[in-house]
Amino acid sequence: MSERKYFGTDGIRGRVGEYPITPEFMLKLGWAAGQAFKRDGHRNSVLIGKDTRLSGYMFESALEAGLAAAGVDVKLLGPMPTPAIAYLTRTFRASAGIVISASHNPHHDNGIKFFSAEGTKLDDALEAEIERWLDMPIQVCEPAELGKASRVDDAPGRYVEFCKSTVPNEFTLDGMKIVLDCAHGATYHVAPKVFRELGARVSVIGADPDGLNINLNVGSTHLEALKAAVVEKRADLGIAFDGDGDRVLMVDRDGSEVDGDELLYVIASQRFAEGRLKGGVVGTLMTNLGVELALTEIGIEFERAKVGDRYVMERLVANNWVLGGEGSGHMVIRDCTSTGDGIVSALQALLAIRRSGKTLSEIRQGMSKLPQKMINVRVSQRFDPFSREDIVAAVQKAESDLGSSGRILLRASGTEPLIRVMAEGQDAEDILRVVEELAKVVENSTA
């Protein structure tokens, strides 16, 4: 990935109006992607979906023009969750899918994600091919070969039915009271339908997008509003999605947060108890050590991948396993769908809860999270923290202080100019002290 000029760990992302998140670049990107996705002997088509950001209209038009210039037909889905584009790309037998979204970022950011014809993230070779075409001048195809654009009016209904199909026909949420937080994002018009049609009594917050309020004090990165709503309405639990709907977190009936690590344990442990877990579980370098210990104790193999759902997927495919995820709530459940899907992951967690006969509060007690603290240090430009001698020395000292009962992790964010500094161990006070000291060293090193 370090050789990529534009692609990060999750597509291309940045602030709207700042290169490359500009209309001019998106026009060129559409053309380049069209060239890379063309398959000989086919009338090629590409799906475009987006979240609820105001800038999505501008970039949708630019990508559409670029793809048409390359001779590729375009199907416009409108505001739809990222995993819905992955699913619909497969069902329409399209050459690829494009998502216009910056996920959990604020409205002034935007980005582009691609899905292959199989509904999976692009491999490195195809991203490199797109970048190769980006370095070439646009050549418009013959007028008779230009691509056409059309809208898919029934996209939301198709996706709602798909989500419901990932749980057994007899599964019902009758009697369950749920609060949904849609982050004023792409799930606002589909998630409530899914859970209501499965029988739940649903209250909804964060479902009034205006183009500027996506992720604003709501959603999986801001759980305060959902916690308050769950307690106020005496709901059984709350479910929070991020802006593009590929992540999910939950809130227990008492207002306590249930993160992706705990949801991963809930799903894995119940599947294992029923004999439905194929293989082991993949987490990441950031996954709380408590997950690994709890899963290992009941006999489930656990493996860590690099941070990012693409790397979780790589290890799952290599091992022929089906379940993996991150603490952020980005989970991959390969026997249900081809990519991270917040709604599908929430349904799998609810299925585990129902089949266990326990409440969310009870089933999550099977694991205990170790104290973990992370500080995001903003930097002027991304860099490898282990390229700085002062940072390396500070990490070595911190590891010595924690000994075998803890661990340190420093990594550069793949989507933002941040260095993530994390420490984990047995004693919360020691962890806080260590991570603050390390963060200060990183700040001073970048000043």
Side-chain angles (χ1 to χ4, degrees), residues 101-118:
S101 174
S103 188
H104 56 282
N105 288 24
H107 78 90
H108 55 66
D109 291 338
N110 216 331
I112 302 296
K113 305 177 189 180
F114 291 95
F115 286 108
S116 70
E118 293 75 36

Side-chain angles (χ1 to χ4, degrees), residues 254-272:
D254 63 358
S256 58
E257 177 179 339
V258 183
D259 68 11
D261 286 347
E262 293 171 288
L263 292 177
L264 189 62
Y265 169 80
V266 166
I267 297 170
S269 61
Q270 183 59 30
R271 282 188 169 211
F272 183 75

Side-chain angles (χ1 to χ4, degrees), residues 358-434:
K358 301 176 181 178
T359 65
L360 175 58
S361 178
E362 291 167 342
I363 195 171
R364 64 187 286 223
Q365 296 305 313
M367 68 157 281
S368 298
K369 294 175 65 178
L370 269 64
Q372 186 184 83
K373 177 67 177 178
M374 184 172 70
I375 295 178
N376 292 321
V377 180
R378 187 161 292 276
V379 295
S380 56
Q381 59 182 10
R382 297 172 194 161
F383 69 94
D384 177 6
F386 290 98
S387 65
R388 307 287 176 89
E389 292 183 2
D390 54 340
I391 296 177
V392 171
V395 169
Q396 291 173 342
K397 179 181 181 302
E399 289 176 335
S400 176
D401 289 346
L402 292 178
S404 60
S405 63
R407 66 189 186 102
I408 302 292
L409 179 65
L410 266 71
R411 58 175 289 269
S413 168
T415 58
E416 299 176 83
L418 301 172
I419 301 296
R420 305 195 191 282
V421 182
M422 190 272 281
E424 184 177 55
Q426 299 289 342
D427 186 276
E429 291 185 2
D430 284 346
I431 293 304
L432 179 59
R433 173 184 58 81
V434 165

Side-chain angles (χ1 to χ4, degrees), residues 143-161:
E145 298 174 0
L146 290 170
K148 298 178 291 183
S150 59
R151 291 204 169 269
V152 181
D153 294 326
D154 62 346
R158 287 171 177 255
Y159 179 60
V160 166
E161 290 305 311

Side-chain angles (χ1 to χ4, degrees), residues 166-428:
T166 62
V167 290
N169 288 336
E170 68 273 13
F171 174 72
T172 176
L173 295 172
D174 283 348
M176 183 171 279
K177 190 173 183 180
I178 296 173
V179 181
L180 295 182
D181 182 348
C182 297
H184 298 308
T187 62
Y188 80 98
H189 59 320
V190 290
K193 291 181 180 179
V194 171
F195 293 92
R196 284 177 177 143
E197 290 180 15
L198 287 172
R201 289 181 293 158
V202 177
S203 300
V204 185
I205 64 173
D208 298 297
D210 62 9
L212 304 176
N213 60 0
I214 187 169
N215 301 313
L216 182 62
N217 300 321
V218 287
S220 63
T221 52
H222 302 280
L223 291 175
E224 294 76 15
L226 180 59
K227 291 177 180 179
V230 167
V231 173
E232 177 189 348
K233 297 179 182 297
R234 298 182 179 179
D236 294 295
L237 53 85
I239 301 173
F241 305 107
D242 65 339
D244 72 330
D246 61 1
R247 301 186 188 191
V248 62
L249 297 182
M250 289 191 178
V251 169
D252 208 343
R253 64 172 59 188
D254 63 358
S256 58
E257 177 179 339
V258 183
D259 68 11
D261 286 347
E262 293 171 288
L263 292 177
L264 189 62
Y265 169 80
V266 166
I267 297 170
S269 61
Q270 183 59 30
R271 282 188 169 211
F272 183 75
E274 297 174 18
R276 295 192 302 115
L277 180 64
K278 182 178 179 180
V281 172
V282 174
T284 74
L285 296 173
M286 298 292 290
T287 301
N288 192 281
L289 185 58
V291 178
E292 181 175 359
L293 295 175
L295 292 178
T296 302
E297 184 176 349
I298 60 178
I300 299 175
E301 190 175 351
F302 181 82
E303 182 177 319
R304 292 182 186 270
K306 291 188 291 185
V307 175
D309 64 295
R310 65 184 295 147
Y311 302 115
V312 172
M313 178 65 83
E314 283 179 4
R315 295 314 307 156
L316 289 173
V317 171
N319 294 332
N320 198 25
W321 295 353
V322 299
L323 180 61
E326 303 181 271
S328 63
H330 202 149
M331 282 180 276
V332 180
I333 307 174
R334 291 179 61 225
D335 57 358
C336 292
T337 187
S338 62
T339 190
D341 189 314
I343 295 175
V344 169
S345 298
L347 290 176
Q348 289 299 305
L350 291 171
L351 178 62
I353 292 167
R354 285 295 217 195
R355 285 185 163 176
S356 72
K358 301 176 181 178
T359 65
L360 175 58
S361 178
E362 291 167 342
I363 195 171
R364 64 187 286 223
Q365 296 305 313
M367 68 157 281
S368 298
K369 294 175 65 178
L370 269 64
Q372 186 184 83
K373 177 67 177 178
M374 184 172 70
I375 295 178
N376 292 321
V377 180
R378 187 161 292 276
V379 295
S380 56
Q381 59 182 10
R382 297 172 194 161
F383 69 94
D384 177 6
F386 290 98
S387 65
R388 307 287 176 89
E389 292 183 2
D390 54 340
I391 296 177
V392 171
V395 169
Q396 291 173 342
K397 179 181 181 302
E399 289 176 335
S400 176
D401 289 346
L402 292 178
S404 60
S405 63
R407 66 189 186 102
I408 302 292
L409 179 65
L410 266 71
R411 58 175 289 269
S413 168
T415 58
E416 299 176 83
L418 301 172
I419 301 296
R420 305 195 191 282
V421 182
M422 190 272 281
E424 184 177 55
Q426 299 289 342
D427 186 276

Side-chain angles (χ1 to χ4, degrees), residues 41-73:
H42 292 78
R43 181 63 184 177
N44 295 279
S45 65
V46 171
L47 273 59
I48 300 179
K50 59 186 179 180
D51 64 22
T52 56
R53 293 163 212 271
L54 188 60
S55 59
Y57 293 96
M58 176 171 64
F59 295 136
E60 179 185 59
S61 297
L63 288 165
E64 176 190 337
L67 287 160
V72 175
D73 289 343

